[in-house]
Amino acid sequence: QVKPQFESRVNSTFGIFKAIVYRTQVVAGINYFIKVQDSYADYVHLRVFLSLPHENQGPSLVSFQTGKTKDDPLTYF
């Protein structure tokens, strides 16, 4: 659901955009840290915030890190 937000921020489009692994952090909602494969050998790390259900808002791309590899650990950023 955040692929269009990411593509808009990096001014590019991606044929591959596959979540590989994720972690969560509970705050006033949930932060998702997601490792995404965006090409054959390239990966990005996304931080996505999902607010509490009563706020009725979709997921929001908060931050991202490009230039990652498959073996880079997924940590808080």
Side-chain angles (χ1 to χ4, degrees), residues 3-75:
K3 180 182 178 188
Q5 294 175 47
F6 177 70
E7 289 177 333
S8 174
R9 288 200 187 172
V10 297
N11 198 24
S12 188
T13 58
F14 299 91
I16 299 173
F17 203 77
K18 179 180 177 185
I20 303 299
V21 67
Y22 74 95
R23 301 177 76 177
T24 59
Q25 176 189 37
V26 177
V27 289
I30 300 175
N31 278 326
Y32 288 91
F33 299 90
I34 308 167
K35 181 183 293 190
V36 174
Q37 182 177 9
D38 66 359
S39 71
Y40 178 73
D42 294 326
Y43 294 79
V44 296
H45 291 180
L46 307 178
R47 181 167 50 151
V48 176
F49 178 72
L50 184 60
S51 62
L52 297 171
H54 72 275
E55 294 179 12
N56 204 23
Q57 295 179 355
S60 174
L61 179 62
V62 175
S63 184
F64 61 89
Q65 297 177 332
T66 59
K68 297 294 186 175
T69 68
K70 182 179 181 180
D71 298 324
D72 285 336
L74 184 59
T75 58

